[in-house]
Amino acid sequence: MENTSDPGGRKPGSKPDPAPNPAPEAGLIPVISLPAGARRAQTGKTQAGKTQAGKTQTGKTQAGKAQPGKAHGAAERSLRPAVKAPGKPSRAPGQASKSPVQPPAGTDMPTAALRSTRPKPPPPTTSVVRPTGSKPLRPQTGRLRTTADPREKRPARTRKSVPPGTAPLESSAAVRPDRSSAAARRMLRRLVQGEEPPTQAMSIVERLAGSPYANPLVRSGGPDANARKTLDLALGMAETMFRYGAGALEVETAIIAVTAAFGLESIEVDITNQSVLLNYSPKDQTPITVMRVVRSWTNNYAGLGLVHQLVTDIIDGGLSRAEAANRLNEITQQPKPFPRWAVTASAGVFSAAIVGFIGGGPLASLVGFAGTVMVSLLQRVLGRWRVPDFFTTAASGFVVTAMAMVFWSMEVPISPGIVVAGGILLMLPTGRLVSAVQDAINGFPVTASGRFLSAFLTFGALVAGIAVALVLGALTGMGRLNVTDVVASQYPFAVTLLLLAIALGTICIVEQSPRRLVLPTVLIGVAGFLVYQAAEAGGMGPRLTPAVAAVFIGMVARIVALRMGAPQLIVAVPAILFLFPGLAIFRSMYGLSIGTDEMYQGAVGLFDALTVILAISGGVVLGDNLGRPFTGNLNGNDRRNRRR
């Protein structure tokens, strides 16, 4: 290799002339030019040992200061190839080399011109270091960061130099952006929009809020693999509750509670007058749709209470699906709490007690008892012959009215209107009217329409039977009745309360109420009568007074029934029966059927009777809603509401 630094072009291997020694205080070190291949091979090692090599060169420079004449000789010796001692490594593995860079073996490196390579120290500056895209830094109160060593490897940063003498940042207002407008926008969005989008669908479980089945214990294991069996169980419960007289809202909440307790939350429930449809549509699975039609009804409030308790046990997490299905099968197959003969006798006793309660004497009560027992037997026979309910009710109204007219024509001291009023109260569709009003208020228009139609058909059949009996009596020569007389109870107030209590107890037997709820129903009905007397004394009028008493009965019935593990309907419907205007119905029909001068009064009276009936039904529903704040801890409602 040619020595580019020697202008004389001496041969390789000859001893160069000693170069003039520069001033020792300049801090000079030799500059060595390596071939391209050797330079690339030594790059990694040179970078690894920059710091220690710098120390070695500095030490040699200081030595050159003490012995100026030996500076060139030391530089020349550094160019000689390193000779390893046999069996002794030159350095430990992994240890950075502290010696100067050595040329490859067999390569002659000429002596190079010496020049200063020590970098000048940068001027003292105050730097603010901030990574690109990061948030502004808060001001430092301690030692400021100075310029780092340029040889260190650091990520790319945005460096901003502050001239010396400039004061550091004193507040964050210079570097922190104003976020007040963003916070105001977020607050406005929460106020206008709420926590969830305004068009988001309501969860089906939220439908249980305020019902006796609120906050069911949902199983954490996910939906049941046999979803069809869960749907069949829910449908069986819904059919049983409908047959026993439950309202649509109670049936829907029971279905939602049972399916949610067994892990099925993605369901839809559609209830009409006599059918229940369930649709289960899990994500990425085949949907299941099942439907059940209810074609018969029966009086069994005890069974309705047992189904209510079964649903409560399911949502508490104490029953499996198989155990719940077995219990439902037992409920539908077990006999009613009271036998048929007891129901027939209780119907007669109810009629006799109500006749005495509204102003009849002992003979009138006896005629009412006989007529009601005969009607009960007739209904049983017609039911066995599969006669429609409309004609059965019409025949019952005819029998009661005809017996009263016959005994009156025989000059028995009775009032036919009072006897008929006591006999037709059991035939009025009281439970259906209450359920229809409840369904209409709670958002079931189709079900409410069907129940209203069924109730008014029953009412129309009853009125038709009374009208036919009155017309036949007039054709046979019976005298005209004085239906304008104002009647009142012939007994003392204490006896009147006793007669009312007997009537309420017997109607519980007729409706097959649970035995443990008979006494609470009687007490609530008597308390409602006291409220009725107070409202009448306060001058609320003949239409508003029954409604006030119905509101009280509905509210207390909800509190007592839920505390005893039963729905409100079981207690409220028997307790309000004495409020219905049976005597007003008979008077109106007599004016429409017989009298020619009283037809207008008869039509007005019939309209007033219908108004009072609807007011009583609406009062029971209003009382049920007013009693909800007092039943927040009952039937599992004390569990915390879990959002899903």
Side-chain angles (χ1 to χ4, degrees), residues 248-551:
L249 179 62
E250 187 175 1
V251 173
E252 185 195 52
T253 52
I255 292 173
I256 297 172
V258 170
T259 53
F262 289 116
L264 306 183
E265 297 186 36
S266 302
I267 67 167
E268 292 295 337
V269 184
D270 185 23
I271 298 177
T272 60
N273 182 34
Q274 59 180 9
S275 65
V276 182
L277 186 142
L278 296 182
N279 178 263
Y280 175 57
S281 301
K283 187 177 181 181
D284 300 331
Q285 296 183 22
T286 303
I288 304 175
T289 302
V290 290
M291 187 182 71
R292 190 72 56 86
V293 178
V294 184
R295 295 182 173 87
S296 63
W297 291 268
T298 182
N299 294 331
N300 192 357
Y301 281 171
L304 180 59
L306 292 176
V307 176
H308 174 88
Q309 189 61 43
L310 173 60
V311 176
T312 303
D313 294 341
I314 290 175
I315 66 177
D316 287 340
L319 288 178
S320 64
R321 189 188 59 226
E323 294 172 344
N326 292 333
R327 280 185 54 177
L328 179 62
N329 189 31
E330 294 174 0
I331 291 172
T332 55
Q333 292 183 358
Q334 72 180 11
K336 296 179 181 180
F338 302 101
R340 288 184 177 180
W341 65 265
V343 172
T344 303
S346 297
V349 173
F350 169 81
S351 178
I354 283 293
V355 168
F357 172 75
I358 62 179
L363 290 178
S365 297
L366 183 60
V367 172
F369 175 84
T372 303
V373 169
M374 185 175 294
V375 166
S376 179
L377 297 176
L378 177 64
Q379 288 178 348
R380 190 175 302 174
V381 172
L382 294 179
R384 192 179 301 116
W385 293 349
R386 300 296 178 91
V387 177
D389 291 339
F390 180 87
F391 300 108
T392 301
T393 305
S396 301
F398 173 82
V399 170
V400 170
T401 307
M403 286 190 64
M405 297 296 293
V406 167
F407 279 99
W408 178 76
S409 63
M410 295 171 60
E411 299 183 353
V412 176
I414 61 172
S415 174
I418 295 177
V419 174
V420 174
I424 66 175
L425 283 181
L426 282 177
M427 307 175 202
L428 291 176
T430 310
R432 240 175 297 177
L433 281 172
V434 173
S435 299
V437 174
Q438 187 180 34
D439 295 342
I441 294 175
N442 293 325
F444 296 91
V446 177
T447 307
S449 301
R451 291 193 172 187
F452 271 126
L453 179 61
S454 176
F456 283 119
L457 278 177
T458 303
F459 185 79
L462 186 61
V463 169
I466 295 173
V468 170
L470 291 175
V471 171
L472 289 179
L475 292 177
T476 56
M478 294 183 181
R480 292 177 59 86
L481 297 176
N482 186 9
V483 296
T484 60
D485 293 341
V486 178
V487 295
S489 178
Q490 302 179 8
Y491 303 100
F493 186 74
V495 178
T496 303
L497 288 180
L498 179 61
L499 290 174
L500 178 61
I502 293 174
L504 293 174
T506 52
I507 192 59
C508 290
I509 297 176
V510 173
E511 297 290 347
Q512 297 287 350
S513 298
R515 297 177 185 270
R516 56 189 174 85
L517 289 179
V518 174
L519 182 59
T521 304
V522 172
L523 296 178
I524 292 173
V526 172
F529 174 70
L530 297 178
V531 173
Y532 177 89
Q533 293 290 327
E536 188 177 24
M540 290 187 178
R543 297 181 181 88
L544 188 58
T545 299
V548 172
V551 170

Side-chain angles (χ1 to χ4, degrees), residues 546-557:
V548 172
V551 170
F552 172 80
I553 292 175
M555 182 177 65
V556 180

Side-chain angles (χ1 to χ4, degrees), residues 69-116:
K70 298 182 180 180
H72 181 71
E76 189 178 66
R77 286 194 300 269
S78 66
L79 298 176
R80 297 176 183 175
V83 180
K84 297 183 180 180
K88 188 176 182 180
S90 59
R91 60 184 177 88
Q95 181 180 357
S97 175
K98 296 183 180 181
S99 60
V101 179
Q102 301 293 337
T107 305
D108 294 334
M109 296 297 297
T111 303
L114 301 178
R115 64 183 178 87
S116 175

